[in-house]
Every structure is written in structure tokens, then in C-alpha cells.
């Protein structure tokens, strides 16, 4: 069925029932700053409904094309089911049936099998060794395409890498979030939130965002760089205007080249406790990315999101060329659970990290929390300490940590 995501746009929920009566469902998220080569999210294009964003065609594809084909198959055959849907679609980018339709089914199948087998989803997907709770990279300040403010960089994350457990880590950064609100208020800045629940104030520069976050960390009683470090997702594709030009709207920025951005990043990494930087350059700027990684890759995690789109074809190129040292992982960028697992495996084999992620348009589905846990990536981002579609994932991880008791692990790297 068609449901609404956290931005009020239509998305897909898929219901599934196994022959023994087990039934469940899964809901699909949706991005805003999407990579050019992501699998296609099928939308109706009928301007009379939701401005063209309806997903009734994708729903019909699940009901009329996919479901009849899967009838009689075994839910534990995840890879076979996923392959069947890929073949049914027949296109390179899932544009015929829609990656939203296919992923909804893929996730529902995995969840149904875990319920049937009576084991938690993270254990079904990750095995008995899945006991490392990912560090929550909390996006407490939003900019770019996720907010209507003056900040170009999309996400500023507080990363509680020095906490003793997930539960404590979450507390560190949630407290920082509340202190940050107070600081913004004191300065007469907006405390309204962006799409991922972080504050979206109009600041004078991107650098001011980092400085105020550091201030909030300290005021909350934590040590920047020891208890809590900083991650950035520039989502640079969104301010790349072509011909080696990045057009930043903040006062001290203006037009910058790849080299300008890399120089600025080097300064920031030397000056601030930054441990992770995602999409510092645009999706087509492979050379810039490589240079960035050459100069900063031994100091921080360099994550490719729009450039790799969770696709093994691009991740493999990145590994060969030294483009980054980590890939963002989003299920709906590639469209099936088994292809996402393949992308993770490729990262792991290359000694890369893999950073698990929600989308800016989310639902309350918690699949991501179990998935990140199962893949043993060690960190995930699910937005801020506001908006329940963000917190359901963090809360699910608290539940898992409690369930695991002293078998649970929590560490950075
Ligand atoms: P998106 O943002 O879901 O809008 O693509 C998330 C990200 O860029 O990491
Ligand atoms: Zn990103």
C-alpha cells in the first residue's frame, strides 16, 4: 500500500504472509540529496496526486507482477528471491518495477523469515556473532537540501566514540543536542529542525556550525575529541555547479575548486576533532575525492555516498583508485537486501569501513537498526534526537543492547 514518509510524501509499505500464517510488513525510505546513479524510485508522475509523487504504480507492480512470481518460494531464500525480482525488472537501475517496490518486498521477506525462525532480525541477517552495537552518529545540525538555512554542508554529526556503551553514547549526544538548543536560543538563532531532526539555524559560515557544536559538547560536560567527536556530510554534489566549481552561499566561501575544498578540509581536520567526512566532493569528482583521500585518508574516515550509491560497480572502482576508505550504505540506493550485503562485503574485503544510513525521508520502520547491527559496521546515522522516525532506530538499538546484556560490544573502528 501507499503510505506517507516523514516529509509527507508517498512511499511503499509491503505486507507479506507466509504459508504458516506468519505475517509482517516493511516500509521503504526516500532520499532528497540523491545520487545520480541510485536505483530508481518509481513515482507515478500524475500531477493530480501528490504533485506527481504517488507510488500507486510501484504498489501495483508488487501486487500484480512480483507477488504472483514469489508465491510458493521459501522466505529463507533471500538471495534467490532478490535475484528473481532483479530478473523480473530486467533493467540496470530497477526502473521498470521500481527500487521502492523491490526493496519493500526484499525487506519484508527478510523480516518474515526472522519471525518464522523466531530469532531477532539482526541475528537472522548477521548470525550469532552480531553483537556489536553501532556508534550513533547523531546529525544535530542540518543544512544543505535538508533545511532552508544558510548552511551549505548538509550534516554535522556528534559521534560519541568515547562512551562505554550505546545507551551512554546516545545519552552523551542527546544531552549535547539539548545544550545546543539552549546556545542557539541565547543567540537569537532558530531552534526549528530540518528533515533529519537537527537544528537548522542561519549561521554566518559552515565553520560556525562546528564551533557551536564544540561549545555544546563542552557545555554538556564532555571532552571534544575524547568523548564526542565530529562527523560531516557535505553532500557536496548539491552545491557543485560543474567545471571544478563548488558554489557555497556562506559569507567566507563563495566559489571554490576541489583544491580549495581539500585545503579547507585539511585546516579543519587539523583544528577540530573531526573523525569522519562524507561526500566532501561531488559524485562525479572522482579525482578530487582521490586527492582528498590521499591527503586526509590516514587521519579520518572518508565516506563516499552519492559517488558509490551502495553499488558494487562504483565501490569496486573506488577501491581500485583509492577514492575513499569507506562507503555509505543505504538499502534503497541499490534496492535489495542481498545486493546491499554484497556491497558491505566488498568494503570489508578491501579493509574499508561501511557507514550505515537512513534517508532524509523516513518511516518508523526499524529495519535499518537491525541491518546495521547485522553487518557489523560499527556506526550508523539515523538523524538527531528529535522526530520519532529517527529515534525508532536508536531506540531499537537500545533494545538490542539490553537484550544482549554483557555480550554487547561498543567501540569505534
Ligand atoms: P538523503 O540524505 O537521504 O536526502 O540522500 C542522506 C545523505 O546524504 O546521507
Ligand atoms: Zn550523504
Amino acid at each position: 500500500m501507499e503510505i506517507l514518509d516523514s516529509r509527507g510524501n508517498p512511499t511503499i509499505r509491503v505486507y507479506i504472509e507466509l504459508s504458516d500464517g506468519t505475517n509482517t510488513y516493511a516500509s521503504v525510505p526516500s532520499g532528497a540529496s540523491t545520487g545520480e546513479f541510485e536505483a530508481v524510485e518509481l513515482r507515478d508522475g500524475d500531477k493530480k496526486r501528490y504533485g506527481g509523487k504517488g507510488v500507486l504504480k510501484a504498489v501495483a507492480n508488487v501486487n500484480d507482477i512480483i507477488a504472483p512470481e514469489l508465491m510458493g518460494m521459501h522466505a529463507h531464500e533471500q538471495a534467490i528471491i532478490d535475484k528473481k525480482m532483479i530478473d523480473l525488472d530486467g533493467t540496470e537501475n530497477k526502473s521498470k518495477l521500481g527500487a521502492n517496490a523491490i526493496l519493500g518486498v526484499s525487506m519484508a521477506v527478510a523480516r518474515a523469515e526472522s519471525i518464522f525462525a523466531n530469532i531477532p532480525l539482526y541475528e537472522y541477517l548477521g548470525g550469532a556473532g552480531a553483537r556489536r552495537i553501532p556508534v550513533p552518529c547523531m546529525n544535530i545540525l542540518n543544512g544543505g537540501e535538508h533545511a532552508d538555512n544558510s548552511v551549505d554542508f548538509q550534516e554535522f554529526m556528534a559521534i560519541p566514540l568515547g562512551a562505554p556503551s550505546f545507551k551512554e553514547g546516545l545519552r552523551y549526544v542527546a544531552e549535547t543536542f539539548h545544550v545546543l538548543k539552549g546556545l542557539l536560543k541565547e543567540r537569537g538563532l532558530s531552534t526549528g529542525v530540518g528533515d533529519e531532526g537537527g537544528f537548522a539555524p542561519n549561521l554566518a559560515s559552515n565553520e560556525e556550525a562546528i564551533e557551536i557544536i564544540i561549545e555544546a559538547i563542552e557545555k554538556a560536560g564532555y571532552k571534544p575529541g575524547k568523548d564526542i567527536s565530529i562527523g560531516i556530510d557535505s553532500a557536496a554534489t548539491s552545491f557543485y555547479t560543474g567545471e571544478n566549481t563548488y558554489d557555497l552561499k556562506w559569507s567566507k566561501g563563495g566559489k571554490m575548486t576541489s583544491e580549495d575544498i581539500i585545503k579547507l578540509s585539511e585546516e579543519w581536520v587539523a583544528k577540530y576533532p573531526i573523525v569522519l567526512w562524507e561526500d566532501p566532493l561531488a559524485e562525479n569528482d572522482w579525482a578530487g575525492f582521490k586527492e582528498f583521500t590521499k591527503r586526509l585518508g590516514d587521519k579520518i574516515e572518508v565516506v563516499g555516498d552519492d559517488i558509490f550509491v551502495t553499488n558494487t560497480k562504483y565501490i569496486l572502482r573506488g577501491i581500485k583508485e583509492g577514492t575513499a576508505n569507506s562507503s555509505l550504505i543505504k538499502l534503497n540506493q541499490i534496492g535489495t537486501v542481498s545486493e546491499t550485503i554484497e556491497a558491505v562485503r566488498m568494503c570489508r574485503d578491501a579493509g574499508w569501513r561501511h557507514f550505515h544510513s537512513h534517508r532524509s525521508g523516513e518511516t518508523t520502520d526499524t529495519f535499518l537498526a537491525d541491518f546495521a547491527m547485522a553487518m557489523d559496521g560499527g556506526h550508523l546515522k539515523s538523524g538527531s534526537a528529535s522526530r520519532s522516525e529517527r529515534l525508532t532506530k536508536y531506540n531499537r538499538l537500545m533494545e538490542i543492547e539490553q537484550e544482549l546484556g554483557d555480550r554487547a560490544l561498543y567501540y569505534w573502528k
Side-chain angles (χ1 to χ4, degrees), residues 31-33 146 154-155 233 278 305 328 330 359-360 381:
S33 65
H146 292 171
Q154 183 178 279
E155 303 171 17
D233 178 6
E278 177 184 332
D305 172 9
L328 202 72
K330 290 166 166 166
R359 297 309 302 249
S360 51
K381 59 174 187 174

Side-chain angles (χ1 to χ4, degrees), residues 207-229:
E207 196 161 5
E208 198 184 331
I210 298 199
E211 279 169 357
I212 197 163
I213 289 172
I214 290 175
E215 205 181 324
I217 293 170
E218 282 169 342
K219 202 169 170 207
Y222 300 105
K223 268 209 157 52
K226 183 168 175 282
D227 301 317
I228 303 176
S229 290

Side-chain angles (χ1 to χ4, degrees), residues 14 16 25-29 39 70 75-86 94 98-114 121-126 310-312 329-346 348 354 356 365-372 374-375:
V14 174
I16 183 168
Y25 59 86
S27 307
V28 177
L70 302 192
H76 65 264
E77 294 178 330
Q78 184 76 43
I80 295 173
I81 290 172
D82 288 347
K83 178 70 170 53
K84 178 114 198 162
M85 292 192 285
I86 292 164
K94 302 187 176 67
N100 41 357
I102 293 173
L103 180 64
V105 175
S106 186
M107 287 161 64
V109 165
R111 180 171 280 142
E113 179 60 22
S114 78
L121 181 58
Y122 68 87
E123 198 177 326
Y124 166 59
L125 291 171
T310 317
N311 188 322
T312 50
I329 300 290
K330 290 166 166 166
L331 285 144
N332 82 326
Q333 276 184 328
I334 188 68
T336 63
V337 172
S338 35
E339 286 167 292
T340 312
I341 293 173
E342 212 37 58
V344 167
R345 184 174 303 143
M346 186 175 272
R348 224 185 264 141
H354 39 103
H356 293 261
D365 194 299
T366 56
F367 195 95
L368 165 69
D370 283 73
F371 188 78
M375 295 300 109

Side-chain angles (χ1 to χ4, degrees), residues 74-287:
H74 294 285
H76 65 264
E77 294 178 330
Q78 184 76 43
I80 295 173
I81 290 172
D82 288 347
K83 178 70 170 53
K84 178 114 198 162
M85 292 192 285
I86 292 164
D87 291 345
L88 267 177
D89 174 83
T91 67
E92 176 88 2
N93 56 4
K94 302 187 176 67
S95 54
K96 188 167 161 231
L97 298 178
N100 41 357
I102 293 173
L103 180 64
V105 175
S106 186
M107 287 161 64
V109 165
R111 180 171 280 142
E113 179 60 22
S114 78
I115 294 170
F116 174 75
N118 199 25
I119 49 176
L121 181 58
Y122 68 87
E123 198 177 326
Y124 166 59
L125 291 171
R131 58 197 191 105
R132 182 176 171 204
I133 321 282
V135 173
C137 300
M138 185 177 271
N139 176 13
I140 59 177
L141 207 144
N142 298 181
E145 290 187 11
H146 292 171
D148 295 317
N149 59 354
S150 64
V151 180
D152 301 284
F153 292 174
Q154 183 178 279
E155 303 171 17
F156 292 85
M157 292 169 266
I159 305 180
L161 74 194
S165 64
F166 179 86
K167 188 176 161 191
E168 285 297 278
L170 194 63
R171 182 173 68 81
Y172 287 14
V173 286
E175 287 172 2
T176 303
F177 172 79
H178 295 300
V179 171
L180 177 60
K181 182 174 186 172
L183 290 178
L184 293 170
K185 241 189 193 156
E186 263 169 44
R187 285 164 211 191
L189 292 161
S190 163
T191 55
V193 297
D195 287 356
E196 297 189 347
F199 299 115
N202 273 322
L203 302 173
S205 71
N206 290 306
E207 196 161 5
E208 198 184 331
I210 298 199
E211 279 169 357
I212 197 163
I213 289 172
I214 290 175
E215 205 181 324
I217 293 170
E218 282 169 342
K219 202 169 170 207
Y222 300 105
K223 268 209 157 52
K226 183 168 175 282
D227 301 317
I228 303 176
S229 290
I230 289 176
I232 297 170
D233 178 6
S234 306
T237 308
S238 63
F239 49 86
Y240 185 66
T241 52
E243 288 168 26
N244 197 20
T245 307
Y246 291 85
D247 195 1
L248 293 102
K249 52 193 173 197
W250 49 294
S251 60
K252 281 181 258 170
K255 288 194 174 24
M256 294 175 91
T257 63
S258 291
E259 178 56 28
D260 295 336
I261 297 234
I262 296 168
K263 275 212 186 93
L264 176 92
S265 307
E266 284 181 314
E267 275 169 35
W268 285 18
V269 168
K271 199 153 119 194
Y272 303 116
I274 294 168
V275 291
L276 177 153
W277 206 315
E278 177 184 332
D279 282 2
L281 297 150
E283 62 189 355
N284 293 317
D285 192 356
W286 287 79

